[in-house]
Amino acid sequence: MTLNPTPALLEVIFWITLLAVIVSSISGVLKAGFKQFDLFGVIIIAIATGLGGGSLRDMLLDREVFWIEDQIFFIASLGSAIFIFILARLVAIPHKFFLIPDAAGLATFGIAGTMVSLMVGAPWLVASFMGVMTGTMGGIFRDILSNEPPVVFQSPLYATVSWGGSLMFIGLLYVKIEVTAAAAIAGLSIFIARLLAIYYNISLPRFRFKS
C-alpha cells in the first residue's frame, strides 16, 4: 500500500517527527549527562540520537535527509540538548528517567518512519522494518557514543514493540482507519508496551549454547 503525500499527511508527519526529535534528543542528553560529558559532547550525542535514525532511513529510501531539508529539526535537537543541560543543574533527575523519553522516541520515530516509507512506495513489510530502524538507530548511536552496549540488544522488548506497533499501524490503515488516528493508536501502543516491558522486565529469550 502507498500513502499519498497530501498536505494533511505531510503536516502529520512533520509534527510527529518534530516530537520524535525532541524526546529522542532529551534521552541522548540524559544518557550523556550520566557519563559527565561536557556541553559539546552532550550536544553531539543529542543530535546523533535525535537525527540519526531518520537520517539513515532517508538515505536508504533515497530521499533528501529530513533535517537538511528543514533545519527546524536540527534546531529542535540542539535546543533540547541545551535546555536539558541547564535543567539538569537545577532539578534532580533519576538515573533511569532517560528510558521514558527513549520510549517516546521509539514510538514516534517508529510510526514516522513507517509513514514516510509507505509514502515513497516501500512494500508494507519493508516499511514496517524501516519504522523499527528509524525508531532504534538513534538510540544505538547514542549508546555507542556513550561507550555502552546498545539498549536495543539487551533491554526488555525494545525493537520488538516497535515492529509490532509499525505492523499495527499498517493493519489499521488496511481496515480504513484514518491515518492520524491509526498513528496515535499505534504510537501509544508502542510507548505503553515498552514501559510495561521495562516495569515487568519482559524480554525475548537470549541466545545460548547447549551446555
Side-chain angles (χ1 to χ4, degrees):
M1 69 180 306
T2 302
L3 289 175
N4 294 321
T6 63
L9 176 63
L10 293 175
E11 184 175 3
V12 170
I13 292 175
F14 172 85
W15 289 110
I16 293 176
T17 303
L18 185 61
L19 177 60
V21 167
I22 291 171
V23 294
S24 297
S25 297
I26 289 172
S27 80
V29 172
L30 296 176
K31 193 69 175 285
F34 292 125
K35 290 289 187 176
Q36 299 293 298
F37 291 167
D38 64 14
L39 177 59
F40 182 76
V42 165
I43 288 174
I44 291 298
I45 291 183
I47 290 172
T49 310
L51 306 178
S55 299
L56 184 58
R57 173 204 65 203
D58 290 344
M59 287 186 284
L60 289 173
L61 293 174
D62 195 26
R63 65 192 300 267
E64 188 170 0
V65 176
F66 73 105
W67 59 272
I68 296 176
E69 182 179 25
D70 187 347
Q71 68 174 354
I72 189 64
F73 299 110
F74 181 82
I75 294 170
S77 182
L78 181 63
S80 300
I82 295 172
F83 175 75
I84 298 299
F85 184 88
I86 296 171
L87 182 66
R89 293 169 175 255
L90 306 174
V91 178
I93 299 177
H95 182 74
K96 290 194 174 182
F97 181 78
F98 87 93
L99 291 170
I100 296 177
D102 182 64
L106 180 72
T108 48
F109 259 135
I111 298 303
T114 305
M115 292 175 74
V116 168
S117 301
L118 290 173
M119 192 176 69
V120 300
W124 68 268
L125 186 58
V126 172
S128 70
F129 187 73
M130 280 290 182
V132 177
M133 191 186 65
T134 309
T136 60
M137 284 306 299
I140 291 174
F141 294 148
R142 174 199 66 210
D143 295 339
I144 290 174
L145 290 171
S146 299
N147 197 30
E148 290 193 0
V151 170
V152 64
F153 298 144
Q154 57 183 1
S155 184
L157 296 186
Y158 194 91
T160 310
V161 297
S162 178
W163 205 344
S166 295
L167 290 170
M168 176 191 292
F169 172 69
I170 293 170
L172 290 171
L173 294 181
Y174 267 111
V175 297
K176 307 302 181 182
I177 302 296
E178 195 271 330
V179 63
T180 304
I185 293 168
L188 283 172
S189 297
I190 295 172
F191 180 68
I192 294 170
R194 169 62 177 155
L195 293 183
L196 288 174
I198 293 171
Y199 185 80
Y200 291 107
N201 195 30
I202 304 170
S203 59
L204 294 176
R206 293 175 180 259
F207 179 89
R208 66 179 182 179
F209 290 102
K210 183 178 181 179
S211 56

